[in-house]
């Protein structure tokens, strides 16, 4: 057992060292590296990837995990949780036949350019045979991975949000269907009146960069341990809790896009920054799940960043940076502008109120695919029908329909519902936080420090040393309850739309 622990720790230390190279490479590739460097670089990355693969499948390492698993009662709480997860992954990987694994990796490399081309040219037919192959593989995967506790689509859902399956998600989406769909339809038919003139102006990038720097302080995004740069698509990446980096993308004709994507990514980043530093030397560092991570970014972006009090506090600074463009703009105008509801076709551009309805379409389709209840040949028609039903829009073509998301082309079935679950977590967390804290007063104080401290104490510090369900319950005192989310949305938009 002692020897097993030694091998386990030493191997993890090596794997973490490799993580640093991969982290730096990924960051550099997306922010600075010249395009011409990719070919040479990809050969080098392939070598490192192979070393990582060998190390993580080394028989001595696997044996160490098995030994520790058998003796897990003797381990401390964090390590016990870690070993259970490590063994679960190991058992799963081994069930996939090696030739199938290689074939699937090849398919993943092939499908991406096909997908991009199909989306650009609005040609679902050319993409369909590849997508059907991905679905076929996933169906076989569900047969290999079936256990006494978990089968079918639940296996895929659990991979993105541990311990969540169709039972939980069905209940969640049922609440949305009953309470949110009719409300969103009613709101999206209404017009929000405000002075829109400023939205047509041009906002030079320099001023936007200065505001991002200002936001860094507001959002407690510690400059000693963070970096902000620019990339095509905004994202967050980190190496432990002492090096957290985000990107943003500035648009001169759209002031609010970069503001909210920065606040969103800072929310993800703050989570990583505030994880207990000791966990950096274990495999339990890092945010616990997709949904919990998204709850932190959306809490910052939507519940704090789009609030009235936030702009009462920070609009003057923005007006100082853009005196001509924002002359005479009131807090009321600005807050209305950042909260407009629109019936839309594209998930990534959706407003806060209708966002989860886009996700619901995907969840229902995925669920039907893996229970063989739909003819996958007819995916576009099924997609369009559901958009009409839940969002009330007519999909004009597949580019604006079934081809809009990259997830399926990456084999990520079961991922989408975590976006909505994260939004719903954030409402429950906000509700719990409001019992301990005067949130509006905290926002008005200029920085979100009291809010950041609360989140650190109740969520962030645990890293991934517990299941997300456990952390949610510790933080809010109860199990997941989707009604907090629906109540929050109905209350917020009734007020903004004056009903
Ligand atoms: Zn996010």
């Amino acid at each position: 057992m002692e020897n097993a622990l030694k091998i386990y720790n030493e191997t993890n230390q090596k794997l973490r060292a490799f993580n640093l190279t991969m982290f730096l490479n990924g960051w550099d590739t997306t922010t600075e590296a010249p395009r011409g460097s990719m070919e040479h670089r990809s050969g080098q990355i392939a070598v490192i990837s192979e070393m990582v693969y060998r190390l993580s499948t080394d028989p001595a390492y696997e044996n160490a995990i098995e030994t520790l698993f058998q003796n897990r009662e003797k381990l401390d709480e964090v390590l016990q949780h870690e070993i259970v997860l490590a063994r679960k992954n190991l058992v799963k990987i081994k069930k996939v036949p090696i030739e199938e694994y290689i074939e699937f990796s090849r398919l993943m490399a092939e499908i991406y350019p096909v997908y991009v081309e199909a989306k650009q040219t609005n040609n679902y037919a050319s993409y369909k045979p590849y997508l059907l192959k991905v679905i076929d593989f996933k169906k076989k995967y569900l047969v290999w991975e079936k256990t006494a506790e978990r089968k079918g689509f639940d296996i895929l859902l659990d991979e993105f949000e541990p311990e969540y399956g169709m039972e939980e998600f069905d209940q969640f989406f049922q609440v949305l269907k009953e309470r949110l769909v009719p409300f969103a339809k009613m709101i999206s038919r209404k017009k929000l009146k405000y002075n829109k003139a400023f939205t047509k102006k041009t906002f030079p990038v320099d001023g936007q960069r200065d505001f991002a720097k200002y936001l860094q302080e507001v959002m407690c995004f510690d400059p000693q341990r963070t970096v902000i740069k620019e990339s095509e698509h905004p994202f967050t990446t980190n190496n432990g809790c002492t090096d957290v980096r985000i990107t943003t993308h500035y648009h001169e004709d759209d002031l609010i896009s970069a503001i909210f994507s920065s606040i969103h990514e800072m929310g993800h980043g703050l989570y990583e920054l505030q994880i207990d530093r000791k966990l950096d030397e274990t495999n339990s560092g890092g945010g616990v799940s997709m949904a919990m991570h998204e709850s932190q970014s959306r809490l910052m972006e939507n519940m704090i960043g789009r609030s009235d009090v936030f702009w009462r506090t920070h609009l003057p600074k923005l007006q100082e940076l853009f005196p001509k463009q924002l002359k005479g703009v009131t807090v009321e105008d600005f807050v209305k502008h950042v909260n407009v509801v629109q019936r839309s076709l594209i998930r990534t551009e959706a407003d806060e109120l209708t966002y989860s309805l886009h996700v619901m379409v995907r969840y229902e389709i995925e669920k039907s695919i893996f229970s063989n209840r739909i003819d996958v040949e007819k995916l576009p028609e099924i997609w369009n029908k559901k958009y009409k039903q839940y969002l009330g829009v007519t999909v004009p073509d597949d580019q604006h329909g079934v081809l809009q998301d990259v997830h399926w082309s990456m084999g990520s079935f079961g991922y989408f519902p975590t976006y909505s679950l994260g939004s719903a977590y954030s409402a429950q967390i906000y509700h719990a936080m409001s019992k301990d804290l005067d949130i509006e007063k905290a926002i008005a104080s200029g920085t979100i420090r009291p809010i950041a401290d609360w989140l650190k104490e109740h969520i962030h510090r645990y890293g991934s040393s517990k299941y997300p369900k456990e952390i949610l319950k510790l933080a809010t005192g109860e199990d997941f309850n989707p009604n907090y989310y629906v109540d929050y949305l109905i209350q917020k938009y009734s007020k903004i739309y004056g009903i």
Side-chain angles (χ1 to χ4, degrees):
M1 158 100 168
E2 240 167 67
N3 192 39
L5 198 56
K6 187 167 171 271
I7 293 170
Y8 179 73
N9 284 330
E10 281 175 3
T11 311
N12 286 337
Q13 212 167 11
K14 286 182 196 162
L15 286 169
R16 280 196 294 275
F18 276 116
N19 278 349
L20 173 65
T21 19
M22 298 308 253
F23 159 74
L24 290 174
N25 171 66
W27 175 256
D28 187 58
T29 302
T30 39
T31 57
E32 306 244 48
R35 275 182 187 270
S37 70
M38 293 307 158
E39 206 181 324
H40 181 55
R41 184 185 281 245
S42 69
Q44 295 166 314
I45 292 302
V47 173
I48 299 174
S49 305
E50 197 190 324
M51 288 162 90
V52 170
Y53 179 79
R54 279 180 198 280
L55 199 55
S56 52
T57 54
D58 187 86
Y61 183 57
E62 290 183 3
N63 286 337
I65 291 174
E66 190 57 41
T67 306
L68 292 173
F69 181 77
Q70 298 307 335
N71 295 284
R72 62 190 180 281
E73 265 78 54
K74 295 176 198 145
L75 304 174
D76 68 53
E77 208 187 332
V78 171
L79 196 54
Q80 218 178 91
H81 182 71
E82 202 174 298
I83 287 294
V84 169
L85 296 183
R87 181 161 181 280
K88 182 176 158 189
N89 286 334
L90 202 64
V91 170
K92 283 185 101 162
I93 293 167
K94 292 197 142 181
K95 284 181 179 169
V96 180
I98 185 75
E99 60 285 357
E100 295 272 7
Y101 177 82
I102 295 168
E103 187 58 34
F104 186 67
S105 308
R106 192 174 300 146
L107 175 61
M108 285 294 99
E110 278 170 12
I111 193 174
Y112 185 70
V114 174
Y115 163 72
V116 172
E117 168 90 20
K119 186 179 169 184
Q120 275 164 4
T121 56
N122 187 32
N123 185 351
Y124 180 75
S126 67
Y127 168 68
K128 191 174 80 175
Y130 293 84
L131 180 61
L132 294 186
K133 273 193 216 167
V134 179
I135 292 171
D136 272 351
F137 175 85
K138 288 284 164 183
K139 284 185 177 172
K140 282 190 274 183
Y141 181 79
L142 297 187
V143 176
W144 303 324
E145 300 293 353
K146 188 177 163 187
T147 61
E149 308 90 66
R150 209 164 275 124
K151 60 177 171 45
F153 189 39
D154 280 350
I155 294 169
L156 301 179
L157 291 168
D158 174 75
E159 288 179 1
F160 293 105
E161 193 65 15
E163 311 278 281
Y164 268 84
M166 283 187 281
E167 200 187 319
E168 285 87 355
F169 281 117
D170 281 353
Q171 282 174 7
F172 172 40
F173 285 113
Q174 190 55 35
V175 174
L176 300 193
K177 218 188 270 189
E178 281 166 16
R179 299 189 56 204
L180 208 55
V181 172
F183 181 75
K185 271 193 185 147
M186 187 262 287
I187 290 286
S188 60
R189 271 187 229 113
K190 291 190 175 294
K191 257 200 135 42
L192 198 56
K193 283 197 193 87
Y194 62 98
N195 181 5
K196 287 191 187 73
F198 74 96
T199 65
K200 307 275 188 295
K201 305 257 165 76
T202 302
F203 299 88
V205 169
D206 280 350
Q208 296 198 43
R209 265 196 212 109
D210 287 345
F211 194 66
K213 213 169 255 157
Y214 169 83
L215 280 177
Q216 189 169 9
E217 200 160 328
V218 173
M219 305 309 288
C220 301
F221 202 57
D222 178 5
Q224 298 295 321
R225 296 184 288 151
T226 60
V227 174
I228 305 177
K229 280 213 171 162
E230 285 151 48
S231 70
E232 188 56 34
H233 302 286
F235 68 95
T236 301
T237 182
N238 67 298
N239 181 41
C241 67
T242 51
D243 187 348
V244 180
R245 306 179 185 197
I246 64 163
T247 66
T248 190
H249 191 107
Y250 299 109
H251 304 264
E252 294 210 320
D253 60 349
D254 183 356
L255 173 67
I256 66 166
S257 169
I259 291 177
F260 288 101
S261 83
S262 298
I263 297 177
H264 181 97
E265 300 307 329
M266 284 179 198
H268 280 303
L270 186 68
Y271 187 179
E272 295 293 338
L273 281 174
Q274 300 207 105
I275 288 171
D276 187 343
R277 208 168 177 147
K278 288 198 289 284
L279 295 176
D280 273 355
E281 302 306 320
T282 71
N283 280 1
S284 300
V288 68
S289 69
M290 304 305 303
M292 195 57 88
H293 236 296
E294 205 57 17
S295 77
Q296 299 308 293
S297 56
R298 284 182 194 262
L299 188 139
M300 292 302 169
E301 179 194 342
N302 293 329
M303 310 190 76
I304 292 173
R306 292 182 203 269
S307 69
D308 198 62
V309 56
F310 190 86
W311 291 105
R312 253 187 281 132
T313 315
H314 303 295
L315 187 63
K317 177 69 190 178
L318 198 57
Q319 282 174 316
E320 194 184 301
L321 291 165
F322 298 107
K324 277 199 208 106
Q325 295 92 324
L326 296 179
K327 196 174 175 218
V329 173
T330 64
V331 171
E332 206 190 354
D333 289 333
F334 199 82
V335 170
K336 278 185 177 171
H337 178 59
V338 303
N339 286 296
V340 172
V341 174
Q342 267 162 343
R343 285 188 283 177
S344 63
L345 292 162
I346 308 292
R347 175 184 60 86
T348 55
E349 290 161 18
D351 55 78
E352 190 188 355
L353 178 63
T354 58
Y355 185 81
S356 281
L357 308 183
H358 291 257
V359 172
M360 195 162 84
V361 168
R362 288 147 178 87
Y363 171 69
E364 289 190 358
I365 290 178
E366 290 184 350
K367 206 172 86 166
S368 307
I369 290 175
F370 294 104
S371 55
N372 295 315
R373 276 188 286 111
I374 54 170
D375 179 359
V376 284
E377 302 270 341
K378 292 197 183 115
L379 273 182
E381 292 100 279
I382 296 163
W383 180 285
N384 299 351
K385 217 173 121 191
K386 288 201 182 285
Y387 258 80
K388 186 90 210 166
Q389 189 184 348
Y390 297 141
L391 286 131
V393 289
T394 307
V395 179
D397 52 42
D398 295 333
Q399 196 176 38
H400 295 88
V402 72
L403 284 172
Q404 66 179 272
D405 300 300
V406 70
H407 300 60
W408 292 346
S409 307
M410 299 168 86
S412 297
F413 286 90
Y415 188 127
F416 286 118
T418 66
Y419 289 128
S420 289
L421 186 63
S423 305
Y425 277 178
S426 71
Q428 186 169 333
I429 292 166
Y430 190 96
H431 178 85
M433 183 162 54
S434 68
K435 288 187 206 158
D436 294 345
L437 205 68
D438 184 339
I439 300 176
E440 292 213 350
K441 195 175 145 206
I443 297 171
S445 77
T447 81
I448 60 153
R449 181 43 64 197
I451 296 168
D453 288 345
W454 192 94
L455 292 170
K456 179 181 183 177
E457 170 68 18
H458 294 88
I459 294 166
H460 298 172
R461 66 186 174 104
Y462 296 119
S464 47
S465 65
K466 297 178 185 301
Y467 286 109
K469 276 184 182 176
E470 286 179 86
I471 297 176
L472 186 74
K473 191 155 186 177
L474 281 171
T476 67
E478 54 187 318
D479 292 325
F480 172 55
N481 177 356
N483 285 303
Y484 286 112
Y485 176 49
V486 181
D487 290 343
Y488 152 74
L489 288 172
I490 291 179
Q491 213 181 349
K492 171 173 177 173
Y493 287 95
S494 297
K495 189 171 166 225
I496 290 172
Y497 278 78
I499 37 175

